[in-house]
Amino acid sequence: MKTQSKIALTLCLSNVLIVLLFGGAIYYLLYKYSYTDFYEQLEARANIEAKYYFETDRLNAETEKTLKEQHYEKLTEEQEFVVEINSEADLAPAAEKHKLPKSFFKKIWAEGKSNLQEGSLFYAGIKYAHENKTYLVVLSANNYFASHHLSFLRNIIFGGIIFTILITAYISIYLSKHIFDPIKQITDEVKQISTENIHKRLEEKDNNNEISELISTFNDLLVRIETAFETQKNFISNASHELGTPLTAIIGEADVALIKTRTQEEYREALQNISQQAERLDQITKSLLFLAQTGYEGKKITFEIFRTDEIIWEVKKVIDKLNPHNKIFIDLALLPEDPKKLKIKGNKQLLHLAIANILNNACKYSHNKPVSVSIAASNNQVIVIIKDQGVGIPEHELQYIYDPFFRASNTHFFEGYGIGLPLARNIILLHKGTLTVSSAKNEGTTVQINFPLFHVA
Amino acid sequence: MSKTILVPTDFHVESLNILKLALGSSSNHTDKVNVILMYSVDLSNSFQDLIFYSPQKIIGSAVKPEFQDALAILKNRFEKTIDALLIDVFHGYSNSAFINFAKAKNVDEVFIPKSYKFNTSGKSFCPVSLIKKSGIPFCEMDWEVKNNVSERNQLETLFNNLNPAL
């Protein structure tokens, strides 16, 4: 069952139930009340009747009668009779005479008064003692109110209930349909978005309700999906290009060498070139593998505790060997006095790789201009800031720098294949750290790495 | 014997360079240093604000997380030199107000920036001219100031010097 019809049904049923209870209660309570009231009225009349019958002296009888006729409204089919009863034995013949059940008379005799309903006629009887004799005064009348007014009320309530049910049903169906209108609209719009038109977005509404929140959530999701899509697309094209270039070189070199017989020297040269390109290919695949491995966290990595400055000195030593012209300057001006504040928990090999990548980039893209590495610690993190004076990254390209194989537009004169930074970022994220890159074209790049401080107890 | 230094601040990371340089110059001595970071701000005119006046609230609303990080870095760097670090609010326009403030805090020396211009957004103002006129010994600190105001609150502004020797 659809939520829409569920809501309509619930709304309708609950309303019908309330209306039924309400109408039923009114009818029932009024019905009850009209009976009690009518019997009381009959009893009171019986009392007056008895008084009139027995106690008025004959002189006033005429006046009394006029008064009665003037002031008492006659009830419908009102009748009265007085029976003299001397003993219980007189009850049965009296009951027979007036065609009333014996139990009614008995009850009046025993309790002093009683009520009875026979069809539409209502009876009320009282016991009355006068001059040492006992009489039963019985008054009967038709309950006009119960038989006419109540049935009229019943009709009104029934009609009202049916009318209300119809209106409720209409309103619930209408409401349930229109409550889901915007959602249905969203569903329709989202259905139209496929891989071909992933740039399409839902139309944002101005009002600040749940629906517009849903819409903006959808749009955010679409942005992320689109980015992932783009990255994937770029990755494949870049990867095939990067892997293809050395392969083309190898094939070309081999083909040229095989065209005719060459001297030993020429063969050596060709094989050397081939070997160089193969090595490059090997390096790319290896770093790709590393990137993939650090990308998911499921893999077990052994963590140890060490000082941040220690690893930076080690990296500098390695870079000094590979690139003796580097000008890496380690700035200790803000190094905390307490060495405990430099301890972090991590995998040394991986962090070594990450920092070496960043430092190598800093040296490479600045033609060995000075690079400063500052280390500092706040109370819960260790901060490493690497500044260079290199070519920088154009501002609009900053968002792509973590895409594998992405290379900024001003880096064509530098060798590289765009895996280093994503790899470094993966490693730092693995250590629950953050990597922030800010840069201005031709002014230099600043990389800030924050590691969570390992608190030594 | 410890001495008390007063350093004005605008709660931007870059202004902490004054403190960095000041502490750097005095860390050679074995003396402990009490630091008072002075935030100069106009007192509100509204009586409701004055009823609920609280310097902590003024400071709390002006301090950014980057500033706190930078301050923590400096505290760690000069752990042995800094005896106590206090952030205080200064309201006042006149010379004597500042002299009273400095007297009440037992200030021995004041450090002010030379080329750095304080960010006077909101109700805060620049106390440098007041300090210069007060007659209390002051020391001017200079470094390479960033032109871009939006960069002033970045943590890296505290690490601004590439070693010129290299």
Side-chain angles (χ1 to χ4, degrees):
Chain A
M1 194 190 249
K2 271 188 155 184
T3 327
Q4 186 184 321
S5 31
K6 227 187 251 173
I7 285 185
L9 207 65
T10 328
L11 215 64
C12 200
L13 280 182
S14 54
N15 269 329
V16 165
L17 198 71
I18 290 169
V19 169
L20 275 180
L21 273 176
F22 190 63
I26 287 180
Y27 183 74
Y28 177 75
L29 291 176
L30 205 64
Y31 178 80
K32 270 276 187 196
Y33 176 72
S34 77
Y35 276 53
T36 341
D37 192 49
F38 193 65
Y39 280 130
E40 270 169 16
Q41 220 176 330
L42 281 184
E43 251 166 53
R45 270 166 192 263
N47 263 320
I48 292 163
E49 226 28 76
K51 281 239 162 70
Y52 171 71
Y53 194 81
F54 294 111
E55 281 173 24
T56 38
D57 46 19
R58 296 293 160 199
L59 270 181
N60 283 333
E62 280 305 310
T63 353
E64 196 84 18
K65 202 178 174 189
T66 348
L67 262 178
K68 206 179 114 186
E69 272 166 8
Q70 272 174 358
H71 292 281
Y72 289 119
E73 189 194 338
K74 223 35 178 160
L75 295 173
T76 329
E77 294 171 40
E78 183 178 337
Q79 275 180 348
E80 75 242 14
F81 55 87
V82 180
V83 199
E84 189 186 328
I85 304 287
N86 292 319
S87 69
E88 227 178 311
D90 290 342
L91 290 172
E96 210 144 295
K97 189 187 162 200
H98 291 287
K99 287 174 191 158
L100 286 169
K102 211 178 140 194
S103 56
F104 175 57
F105 277 66
K106 264 187 183 167
K107 210 175 169 198
I108 304 176
W109 180 257
E111 292 173 15
K113 58 178 184 179
S114 181
N115 304 323
L116 177 75
Q117 186 191 357
E118 286 261 284
S120 61
L121 275 180
F122 291 76
Y123 293 86
I126 54 162
K127 199 160 97 174
Y128 198 84
H130 184 69
E131 291 171 351
N132 299 328
K133 284 179 181 171
T134 315
Y135 303 90
L136 295 189
V137 183
V138 177
L139 209 93
S140 72
N142 193 336
N143 190 347
Y144 181 79
F145 179 78
S147 50
H148 291 83
H149 289 198
L150 275 184
S151 63
F152 181 61
L153 179 74
R154 194 184 53 211
N155 292 344
I156 290 179
I157 290 179
F158 261 116
I161 287 177
I162 290 170
F163 186 64
T164 322
I165 289 175
L166 285 179
I167 291 180
T168 314
Y170 176 73
I171 290 178
S172 4
I173 290 171
Y174 178 84
L175 263 185
S176 66
K177 258 190 192 153
H178 286 270
I179 277 182
F180 287 102
D181 262 359
I183 293 188
K184 209 165 165 284
Q185 204 185 333
I186 293 175
T187 320
D188 289 344
E189 276 187 58
V190 172
K191 264 184 195 161
Q192 286 171 6
I193 297 173
S194 67
T195 49
E196 266 69 52
N197 54 356
I198 200 156
H199 53 83
K200 219 179 144 184
R201 295 286 175 272
L202 303 181
E203 199 183 318
E204 302 239 6
K205 301 243 163 62
D206 283 338
N207 52 2
N208 194 20
N209 59 18
E210 290 81 357
I211 297 295
S212 52
E213 230 170 83
L214 181 70
I215 290 176
S216 62
T217 314
F218 256 121
N219 281 346
D220 286 350
L221 180 71
L222 282 172
V223 170
R224 271 177 280 152
I225 290 177
E226 196 187 350
T227 321
F229 230 76
E230 289 292 312
T231 314
Q232 190 74 13
K233 265 190 210 160
N234 286 346
F235 177 79
I236 292 172
S237 71
N238 287 329
S240 34
H241 177 75
E242 285 298 328
L243 295 174
T245 318
L247 272 179
T248 323
I250 289 173
I251 293 167
E253 193 76 41
D255 279 347
V256 169
L258 285 175
I259 284 173
K260 57 175 187 182
T261 333
R262 313 256 177 195
T263 63
Q264 204 172 351
E265 208 47 44
E266 279 171 331
Y267 278 131
R268 185 180 294 277
E269 200 182 318
L271 278 174
Q272 238 162 19
N273 283 340
I274 289 174
S275 154
Q276 213 176 356
Q277 293 297 331
E279 245 168 54
R280 190 177 161 205
L281 200 61
D282 186 46
Q283 217 177 344
I284 294 174
T285 45
K286 259 188 198 155
S287 45
L288 261 184
L289 192 66
F290 228 144
L291 184 66
Q293 276 174 349
T294 50
Y296 51 90
E297 286 179 49
K299 207 167 163 270
K300 269 187 200 160
I301 302 164
T302 47
F303 276 37
E304 52 189 319
I305 296 157
F306 52 86
R307 283 175 57 167
T308 320
D309 53 340
E310 195 181 314
I311 196 162
I312 286 172
W313 284 113
E314 275 173 29
V315 172
K316 180 173 159 53
K317 218 186 280 174
V318 173
I319 292 177
D320 280 345
K321 261 186 222 161
L322 293 173
N323 175 12
H325 303 293
N326 79 74
K327 281 183 190 155
I328 295 175
F329 159 65
I330 298 187
D331 168 27
L332 300 176
L334 287 173
L335 198 71
E337 287 180 351
D338 184 359
K340 275 182 190 162
K341 297 240 156 115
L342 284 171
K343 301 235 173 182
I344 56 169
K345 198 177 177 188
N347 181 293
K348 251 188 171 175
Q349 280 79 38
L350 286 179
L351 274 183
H352 194 289
L353 184 72
I355 293 171
N357 261 321
I358 295 169
L359 278 180
N360 268 329
N361 280 350
C363 293
K364 183 164 70 183
Y365 294 115
S366 67
H367 300 286
N368 287 328
K369 276 187 196 148
V371 173
S372 81
V373 184
S374 316
I375 312 165
S378 73
N379 289 330
N380 44 30
Q381 50 190 354
V382 179
I383 299 152
V384 177
I385 291 184
I386 298 165
K387 271 190 201 181
D388 67 46
Q389 299 164 13
V391 293
I393 303 163
E395 203 175 321
H396 60 277
E397 288 176 5
L398 265 177
Q399 51 177 321
Y400 305 113
I401 55 174
Y402 301 122
D403 293 354
F405 292 118
F406 171 80
R407 305 206 61 213
S409 52
N410 53 353
T411 57
H412 297 305
F413 301 112
F414 301 93
E415 223 180 287
Y417 31 83
I419 299 183
L421 196 59
L423 180 61
R425 187 170 97 120
N426 273 357
I427 292 170
I428 285 158
L429 289 182
L430 214 57
H431 289 80
K432 299 191 172 57
T434 56
L435 179 76
T436 326
V437 177
S438 53
S439 180
K441 202 176 174 183
N442 295 327
E443 274 178 34
T445 307
T446 306
V447 181
Q448 183 183 335
I449 311 170
N450 291 27
F451 291 111
L453 183 68
F454 181 79
H455 289 278
V456 187
Chain B
M1 208 204 128
S2 69
K3 76 172 180 179
T4 305
I5 63 168
L6 188 142
V7 177
T9 182
D10 59 355
F11 290 141
H12 278 81
V13 174
E14 193 165 8
S15 73
L16 279 177
N17 273 307
I18 315 166
L19 180 62
K20 186 181 97 174
L21 296 169
L23 287 171
S25 69
S26 54
S27 64
N28 305 327
H29 316 297
T30 46
D31 293 357
K32 287 261 183 183
V33 176
N34 280 319
V35 180
I36 295 169
L37 280 180
M38 185 184 77
Y39 181 53
S40 327
V41 64
D42 285 344
L43 200 55
S44 171
N45 290 326
S46 137
F47 84 94
Q48 284 165 3
D49 287 353
L50 289 175
I51 289 173
F52 301 107
Y53 172 78
S54 143
Q56 273 73 36
K57 224 189 272 170
I58 295 175
I59 294 167
S61 65
V63 168
K64 299 279 176 308
E66 290 87 357
F67 184 83
Q68 276 170 334
D69 278 347
L71 201 58
I73 288 172
L74 284 179
K75 271 190 198 166
N76 284 331
R77 167 65 187 87
F78 300 104
E79 209 173 358
K80 288 189 183 124
T81 317
I82 297 177
D83 192 26
L85 196 147
L86 195 84
I87 303 179
D88 216 327
V89 192
F90 171 66
H91 313 287
Y93 309 98
S94 64
N95 228 336
S96 50
F98 179 73
I99 294 172
N100 276 334
F101 181 85
K103 229 181 225 169
K105 307 281 175 193
N106 281 324
V107 174
D108 297 310
E109 201 171 1
V110 183
F111 290 87
I112 54 171
K114 194 171 182 185
S115 42
Y116 177 76
K117 292 275 172 291
F118 274 103
N119 190 348
T120 51
S121 61
K123 282 184 163 279
S124 68
F125 62 90
C126 175
V128 170
S129 55
L130 270 182
I131 295 170
K132 280 184 179 166
K133 276 188 279 176
S134 68
I136 297 168
F138 64 85
C139 203
E140 281 188 322
M141 295 295 168
D142 200 14
W143 68 93
E144 202 186 313
V145 176
K146 284 266 189 305
N147 294 320
N148 195 340
V149 181
S150 65
E151 281 177 11
R152 279 190 181 173
N153 217 7
Q154 282 177 12
L155 212 49
E156 48 155 316
T157 51
L158 201 58
F159 305 82
N160 58 348
N161 32 10
L162 280 170
N163 195 333
L166 281 166

